[in-house]
Amino acid sequence: MEENPIAERFGLIAWTLDERMRRIIAAAEAKVLGHGGISEVSRATGVSRRAIHVGLKELEAREESDSEAGRRIRRAGGGRKKATDKDSTLATDLESLLEPVTRGDPESPLRWTTKSLRGLSEELKAMGHTLSHTSVGDLLEELGYSLQSNAKTLEGAKHPDRNAQFEYINAETTSRLERGSPVISVDTKKKELVGPFKNNGRTWRPKGDPEEVNVYDFVDSKLGRANPYGVYDLSADSGWVSVGIDHDTAAFAVQTIRRWWQNIGSVSYPSAAELLITADGGGSNGSRVRLWKLEIQKLADEIGIPITVCHFPPGTSKWNKIEHRLFSFISMNWRGQPLISHEVMVNLIANTRTKSGLSVQAELDPGSYPKGVKVSDEEFSSINLIRSSFHGEWNYSIHPREG
């Protein structure tokens, strides 16, 4: 018996076809045959009549081949539902398991975790979720995590209480956010040359017309360098950045926090009874910097509420929220854009946005912040400083002084 030509043609290419192409080709054969073609093609190819009907509708309503709809294998909404669609708290609970041990590059939103997929699956089951370890891996990719091989990282000497400090910061942050208290992450972004200098990254421009910049990165004597200091509000997913033109000192750092409070914090948290700051252990906001504590005392006196500071252990600054929730997106927003003036820098920072809803305000701080300011023993003893029982050098509160 002679083989059906439709079956013969289809059999030759069937191994190359996905679900969509099978029904489109079957539908095309049926359309050419006309009346009775659907039944004949279905018998010859094994493609269901229903699938052929769907293919015919797609042929009738076909769009341009390079459109998203033209590339879709299933109709919109088709296919298996995501686990997060069926379990609304799954993603949140998974993030809560990862939060204390999450690591990240300050210049990249990429994050990775050291917990195993099977371990996470078991912990999720204990929380009432049913999810295989392979599905946990898929969900982690959706949330922005990836599996990384072992690698040495230059984080300095590992303090024996490093992980315990991370747990402490996480607990302090979580409890305050639950109470509706403001929690901010602060840090200095990398100093930037101001002027027609190359900025890493690429941006769209007319072909053959790249932005021209200086060959050598010599500091412009008039424009100098800029010191962006940032404040990231964990609850509001918003940032404030002051672009300083002088030195990056503790006075400049606290002035930035003060400007954030005056413009945003006091409005967003009118009933705040406390403020928590997470900061690096070094730099202008370092745990050993006397001027930092004195300036924080002045701020506490002004706003009338205690300010608690939790410092990250030495060598772990990249764990601070501001690094991968604010600074990384600023760097992506201005990549390939020469920072030719302070105004351009401020505008690029202020126009940083993310799909999660991040908003940023920025301003130029033309103030003078001289280096080498000494804090006397008498001034330091006047600070209303209360140290935590757990590593008081890293965790402390500064309360407003009476009078």
Side-chain angles (χ1 to χ4, degrees):
M1 181 178 177
E2 186 176 350
E3 186 176 359
N4 187 313
I6 297 176
E8 185 177 3
R9 287 195 296 270
F10 196 85
L12 289 172
I13 62 173
W15 63 277
T16 69
L17 305 178
D18 58 27
E19 179 182 332
R20 174 177 175 273
M21 291 305 300
R22 282 173 57 86
R23 67 173 180 261
I24 290 293
I25 291 176
E29 291 277 6
K31 189 170 184 178
V32 170
L33 290 175
H35 182 70
I38 293 176
S39 297
E40 183 175 346
V41 171
S42 179
R43 287 192 297 269
T45 64
V47 179
S48 70
R49 291 171 55 85
R50 179 180 177 279
I52 296 174
H53 277 292
V54 172
L56 286 169
K57 289 181 180 179
E58 290 176 323
L59 288 175
E60 293 171 1
R62 66 184 182 275
E63 299 176 358
E64 294 182 9
S65 60
D66 61 347
S67 69
E68 182 178 353
R71 295 193 303 270
R72 188 185 296 277
I73 293 177
R74 289 191 175 93
R75 61 183 173 80
R80 183 179 298 176
K81 298 295 182 183
K82 293 182 178 180
T84 49
D85 292 337
K86 298 182 288 185
D87 189 342
S88 60
T89 63
L90 177 58
T92 303
D93 286 345
L94 178 56
E95 289 262 51
S96 72
L97 293 175
L98 301 172
E99 189 67 23
V101 292
T102 298
R103 307 178 65 184
D105 182 338
E107 293 301 321
S108 170
L110 184 67
R111 296 172 294 172
W112 63 95
T113 176
T114 56
K115 284 194 172 182
S116 70
L117 297 182
R118 293 185 185 277
L120 290 170
S121 177
E122 290 300 319
E123 291 188 57
L124 286 172
K125 288 178 181 178
M127 299 172 75
H129 305 287
T130 301
L131 200 68
S132 68
H133 68 278
T134 54
S135 296
V136 170
D138 293 339
L139 181 54
L140 285 175
E141 289 187 4
E142 292 178 18
L143 294 174
Y145 292 80
S146 71
L147 184 62
Q148 303 284 335
S149 61
N150 293 339
K152 293 181 179 180
T153 55
L154 299 176
E155 293 185 345
K158 181 176 179 180
H159 194 283
D161 288 335
R162 186 180 71 166
N163 290 338
Q165 176 66 0
F166 292 145
E167 296 286 352
Y168 181 89
I169 293 174
N170 187 65
E172 290 292 301
T173 299
T174 301
S175 64
R176 281 169 170 76
L177 290 176
E178 289 175 349
R179 294 197 295 267
S181 297
V183 178
I184 59 175
S185 169
V186 303
D187 197 12
T188 305
K189 198 181 186 302
K190 180 174 69 72
K191 293 181 180 180
E192 301 287 349
L193 287 171
V194 182
F197 300 101
K198 180 181 178 180
N199 198 358
N200 290 332
R202 296 182 295 177
T203 187
W204 289 103
R205 287 184 56 82
K207 190 173 181 178
D209 183 27
E211 187 86 23
E212 295 185 353
V213 295
N214 291 347
V215 174
Y216 302 107
D217 292 341
F218 296 132
V219 180
D220 187 297
S221 59
K222 294 182 179 179
L223 297 175
R225 296 177 184 270
N227 304 308
Y229 191 92
V231 176
Y232 176 72
D233 184 337
L234 273 66
S235 178
D237 191 22
S238 65
W240 173 279
V241 179
S242 290
V243 178
I245 61 174
D246 199 39
H247 300 294
D248 175 24
T249 67
F252 169 58
V254 176
Q255 176 61 13
T256 301
I257 300 171
R258 179 180 287 108
R259 293 291 294 151
W260 167 80
W261 178 261
Q262 292 170 346
N263 288 274
I264 301 176
S266 60
V267 177
S268 301
Y269 307 96
S271 302
E274 57 187 348
L275 171 64
L276 174 63
I277 300 174
T278 63
D280 296 348
S284 58
N285 46 228
S287 58
R288 297 183 179 181
V289 179
R290 282 189 164 196
L291 184 59
W292 161 257
K293 294 183 176 67
L294 182 61
E295 293 293 335
I296 289 291
Q297 177 67 77
K298 295 176 182 178
L299 179 59
D301 293 342
E302 292 172 20
I303 66 179
I305 59 174
I307 300 176
T308 299
V309 181
C310 292
H311 291 278
F312 285 86
T316 61
S317 61
K318 67 184 181 181
W319 293 50
N320 206 352
K321 296 289 188 209
I322 195 171
E323 299 287 2
H324 53 84
R325 292 192 180 179
L326 178 60
F327 287 167
S328 62
F329 294 108
I330 291 174
S331 295
M332 286 190 287
N333 190 56
W334 71 21
R335 62 189 174 192
Q337 295 279 355
L339 307 175
I340 59 175
S341 68
H342 293 101
E343 182 181 8
V344 166
M345 183 179 291
V346 168
N347 285 333
L348 286 169
I349 293 172
N351 282 281
T352 301
R353 298 288 185 272
T354 66
K355 291 181 179 180
S356 67
L358 172 70
S359 62
V360 186
Q361 294 188 44
E363 69 173 9
L364 183 68
D365 185 343
S368 175
Y369 301 97
K371 299 174 68 175
V373 175
K374 302 295 184 182
V375 176
S376 66
D377 291 342
E378 182 180 358
E379 288 178 308
F380 191 73
S381 64
S382 70
I383 299 175
N384 192 3
L385 177 68
I386 301 175
R387 298 185 183 276
S388 170
S389 58
F390 178 76
H391 280 285
E393 76 278 19
W394 293 339
N395 309 296
Y396 51 85
S397 295
I398 296 178
H399 292 245
R401 294 175 290 200
E402 296 181 1

